[in-house]
Amino acid sequence: MASYRGALIGCGFFAINQLHAWRDAEGVDIVALCDRDPERLSHAGELFGIDRRYGDAEQMLRAEKPNFVDIATTVASHRPLVELAAKMGIPVICQKPFALSMADARAMVEACRLAGVPLMVHENFRWQSAIQAVKTRLDANAIGRPFWARVSFRSGFDVFSGQPYLAEGKRFIIEDLGIHILDIARFLFGEVTQLSARTQRVNPAIKGEDVATMLLDHEGGLSSVVDCSYATRLPVDPFPETLVEIDGSAGTLRLGTGYRLVVNGPGGREEVDLSPPLLPWASRPWHNIQESVLAIQRHWLHCLRNGKEPSTSGRDNIATMALVEAAYASAASGQTIEMASI
């Protein structure tokens, strides 16, 4: 098995999960870290025993010449960092949201294409084992032809205490969370032809929307509802579970709370507990997300070794970004948005 030397840029909140997952992945070492905040850089370096630490990304990439770079910074820095890596011929993983605009996203994809380097967006939600299990059932025709679906993430969990910057943006739930749920809908049901959306701001202490309801028409004829909320108070909060309902021509599939999958189809009834493993470094209730980080990073390594395009390549993620832009456009105008116009 080929062994890879990686470098990571950005040592903030979520990057710690990525560093844990890299330590668990086979055939890879993160050999250098970069962050402009000396305290964050020192904390991550000490926690993971990484001595090569930099405050400048270009200096790090020139000195270390890694086999790939994992960009775990905020969105405003993505385009310059991705284009820097492409210019240096270094394969790139980029955190979501991928770009500030569709133009920036397309520019990054084109830069990597021209440089001949792989580009993967760290869109990890589709890599949750429960979501992968749903996809496996659909691919096996377990409920016939799906014609209606709902993908839902509703919670009252306080995400702002750990990531206070989320309360400051004019855009919130669609850009931060909805992008994941929309990507799951694309992954399960295919590309989208048109979309309509409605948003609300329930929490007066934030600037963006914290509730979004979206209706998607997919190319194959299926209609799906994607709904997200951080204002939903439930007696048992399912955070951070994504719930899925699918009706098909020959049966139904439900992924409910507690990772309980129920499939009723021509083959009979299947009921299974899809609770994700609790990795040694993971903690409840985040463990399903943390498991998916390890899964997507293993996928990246597999693609590097075999010369394959990642499932969530930059090219693929542009289609998910387009759904986000369409949702905001629809919510602002009250109109249904044709995806061909984005």
Side-chain angles (χ1 to χ4, degrees):
M1 179 182 293
S3 183
Y4 291 95
R5 298 171 67 256
L8 182 137
I9 304 172
C11 299
F13 172 78
F14 202 76
I16 299 302
N17 291 312
Q18 289 164 236
L19 287 166
H20 274 298
W22 286 127
R23 192 163 59 180
D24 280 5
E26 303 81 11
V28 63
D29 290 299
I30 299 300
V31 298
L33 300 175
C34 177
D35 198 294
R36 291 185 296 183
D37 184 319
E39 186 175 340
R40 280 201 309 248
L41 183 62
S42 175
H43 171 72
E46 293 301 314
L47 184 61
F48 293 94
I50 301 171
D51 296 327
R52 299 187 185 99
R53 305 170 195 172
Y54 298 82
D56 181 86
E58 184 170 0
Q59 181 186 5
M60 178 184 72
L61 296 179
R62 291 195 183 282
E64 299 296 337
K65 297 178 174 59
N67 299 120
F68 70 89
V69 61
D70 189 356
I71 298 170
T73 58
T74 52
V75 65
S77 62
H78 288 175
R79 181 172 177 179
L81 289 173
V82 168
E83 290 180 342
L84 171 66
K87 182 176 69 175
M88 300 175 70
I90 299 171
V92 192
I93 305 171
C94 185
Q95 186 56 267
K96 71 86 203 168
F98 183 33
L100 287 169
S101 67
M102 294 296 291
D104 280 354
R106 292 185 177 111
M108 286 186 277
V109 169
E110 181 66 4
C112 289
R113 186 190 69 81
L114 291 174
V117 298
L119 169 61
M120 183 180 81
V121 179
H122 195 112
E123 180 47 76
N124 55 295
F125 265 49
R126 70 164 72 174
W127 286 97
Q128 295 174 64
S129 54
I131 301 300
Q132 291 286 321
V134 170
K135 177 66 168 172
T136 298
R137 270 63 173 187
L138 293 180
D139 289 347
N141 205 35
I143 60 169
R145 181 185 65 83
F147 61 85
W148 177 90
R150 180 185 180 196
V151 187
S152 180
F153 190 113
R154 310 191 69 82
S155 170
F157 188 85
D158 178 14
V159 293
F160 306 107
S161 58
Q163 298 167 282
Y165 62 88
L166 293 175
E168 298 302 318
K170 292 182 179 179
R171 292 180 169 191
F172 170 45
I173 202 165
I174 299 175
E175 185 173 83
D176 183 70
L177 170 67
I179 190 169
H180 289 307
I181 313 306
L182 289 164
D183 187 73
I184 288 174
R186 279 190 59 237
F187 173 61
L188 294 178
F189 314 125
E191 300 303 338
V192 177
T193 57
Q194 57 182 21
L195 179 152
S196 59
R198 300 294 181 268
T199 61
Q200 298 179 63
R201 178 168 62 91
V202 177
N203 182 348
I206 68 172
K207 295 179 180 177
E209 80 289 350
D210 53 4
V211 177
T213 307
M214 294 159 276
L215 176 63
L216 285 59
D217 291 336
H218 295 262
E219 286 181 350
L222 178 145
S223 297
S224 70
V225 177
V226 172
D227 59 286
C228 306
S229 170
Y230 272 127
T232 299
R233 312 297 174 188
L234 295 166
V236 178
D237 197 316
F239 179 87
E241 296 179 41
T242 300
L243 309 183
V244 180
E245 304 172 58
I246 310 171
D247 293 355
S249 59
T252 59
L253 180 151
R254 299 292 186 267
L255 176 62
T257 55
Y259 307 99
R260 179 172 171 265
L261 178 71
V262 179
V263 181
N264 290 289
R269 178 181 175 89
E270 177 192 19
E271 188 169 343
V272 61
D273 182 351
L274 294 176
S275 297
L278 182 65
L279 299 172
W281 48 269
S283 57
R284 300 180 191 276
W286 298 93
H287 61 300
N288 67 326
I289 308 301
Q290 291 164 319
E291 173 221 20
S292 72
V293 172
L294 177 57
I296 194 173
Q297 292 178 186
R298 282 176 168 161
H299 172 66
W300 167 253
L301 294 171
H302 173 80
C303 291
L304 281 185
R305 291 187 185 107
N306 294 280
K308 295 184 176 180
E309 182 180 28
S311 172
T312 56
S313 66
R315 183 181 63 83
D316 178 86
N317 195 253
I318 283 177
T320 296
M321 272 193 63
L323 296 180
V324 171
E325 294 304 317
Y328 281 114
S330 176
S333 67
Q335 303 297 310
T336 297
I337 304 299
E338 298 291 333
M339 294 310 300
S341 68
I342 300 294

